[in-house]
Amino acid sequence: STQSTGLLMKKFLGSLTKLVSPGYVGRDNNGNKYYRIFQEGAERRIVSYYKGDIDPRMIHPLWNSWLSHKRKEPPNEADFKYYDGYISDIKKKAKELEVADQKLRLQEQAEKERLDYFGQDQSTLNEPDPNNSNFKKPSSTDFL
């Protein structure tokens, strides 16, 4: 009977552990701590905000994806390194596109200003119109 009481106690304690067993998983650069809790056979993932300052915007996207069960394992250093490189590449490409766009806008603005000033397209600027009454055919003395 002592053996069966011990067995019951062991099962009871085991069920409590399965009911609520917090497990520290990690900490981010903002000081937030992340935990994995098993309740009634289901896994919950929670964050304990640094100094109680609840601000979900301060959760790194990799931690957020873990909290929302989009990734199976919590992020590690290699994940952060890859993510930082990825974000750096995106920012670099965005800057290059911004510079190219600005250059194109300046070219378009210059073309618009030129057309507003001359009132004609570029192809007719270099070719005189012989039908224009102001057109004077160059003579041989014009080139001396």
Side-chain angles (χ1 to χ4, degrees):
S1 205
T2 314
Q3 190 176 21
S4 63
T5 306
L7 185 59
L8 283 173
M9 185 60 101
K10 188 174 182 178
K11 282 185 178 183
F12 174 73
L13 291 174
S15 67
L16 280 180
T17 303
K18 288 178 186 171
L19 184 65
V20 178
S21 67
Y24 176 78
V25 175
R27 175 185 292 210
D28 65 21
N29 291 338
N30 296 321
N32 300 321
K33 295 179 184 177
Y34 298 88
Y35 297 91
R36 178 181 281 162
I37 296 175
F38 294 94
Q39 290 181 321
E40 300 173 2
E43 179 188 33
R44 283 190 56 221
R45 298 171 180 183
I46 61 170
V47 59
S48 174
Y49 291 96
Y50 180 70
K51 293 186 180 179
D53 295 335
I54 298 174
D55 188 358
R57 296 173 299 166
M58 298 305 293
I59 295 178
H60 192 283
L62 291 177
W63 278 112
N64 189 44
S65 65
W66 178 78
L67 285 169
S68 59
H69 296 266
K70 291 179 183 167
R71 59 181 298 137
K72 192 173 187 176
E73 297 299 322
N76 58 39
E77 287 303 314
D79 295 331
F80 286 109
K81 186 175 181 178
Y82 176 81
Y83 181 85
D84 291 344
Y86 174 75
I87 295 299
S88 178
D89 288 347
I90 287 176
K91 287 180 180 179
K92 181 181 175 186
K93 288 175 185 173
K95 185 64 177 171
E96 290 169 358
L97 286 172
E98 187 179 318
V99 168
D101 183 59
Q102 183 63 27
K103 183 178 177 182
L104 183 61
R105 287 175 186 263
L106 289 172
Q107 288 172 344
E108 289 172 347
Q109 181 64 30
E111 179 68 11
K112 181 184 180 308
E113 289 172 2
R114 190 193 62 70
L115 289 175
D116 288 347
Y117 180 77
F118 290 109
Q120 54 189 358
D121 68 35
Q122 190 172 12
S123 64
T124 61
L125 280 180
N126 298 327
E127 300 174 15
D129 183 2
N131 298 322
N132 186 338
S133 60
N134 294 326
F135 175 73
K136 178 185 166 220
K137 187 174 183 179
S139 70
S140 58
T141 59
D142 289 342
F143 300 105
L144 296 176

